[in-house]
Amino acid sequence: MFVVSAILVFGGFYLMGLAPSIAGAELWLFLAGILVDAIGFWIAFGWWQARDR
């Protein structure tokens, strides 16, 4: 599960970094990157931690 959340977080960083170079889709790529980051962090620190209790 750690690998999945790490891939999501770094993939979200990649999408946010890629956003300024794609004309016309900057906002959507940036927002998608934030969403993917949020899901990755939620898996790592929210859902997985709550599952162990």
Side-chain angles (χ1 to χ4, degrees):
M1 197 50 69
F2 172 77
V3 174
V4 171
S5 63
I7 289 171
L8 287 172
V9 169
F10 289 122
F13 289 157
Y14 177 74
L15 282 175
M16 287 190 289
L18 185 67
S21 64
I22 308 294
E26 299 95 348
L27 177 66
W28 299 112
L29 279 175
F30 189 77
L31 291 176
I34 289 176
L35 180 65
V36 170
D37 277 337
I39 292 169
F41 281 122
W42 173 72
I43 288 173
F45 298 111
W47 177 72
W48 194 253
Q49 294 292 330
R51 188 174 169 265
D52 288 340
R53 291 182 189 172

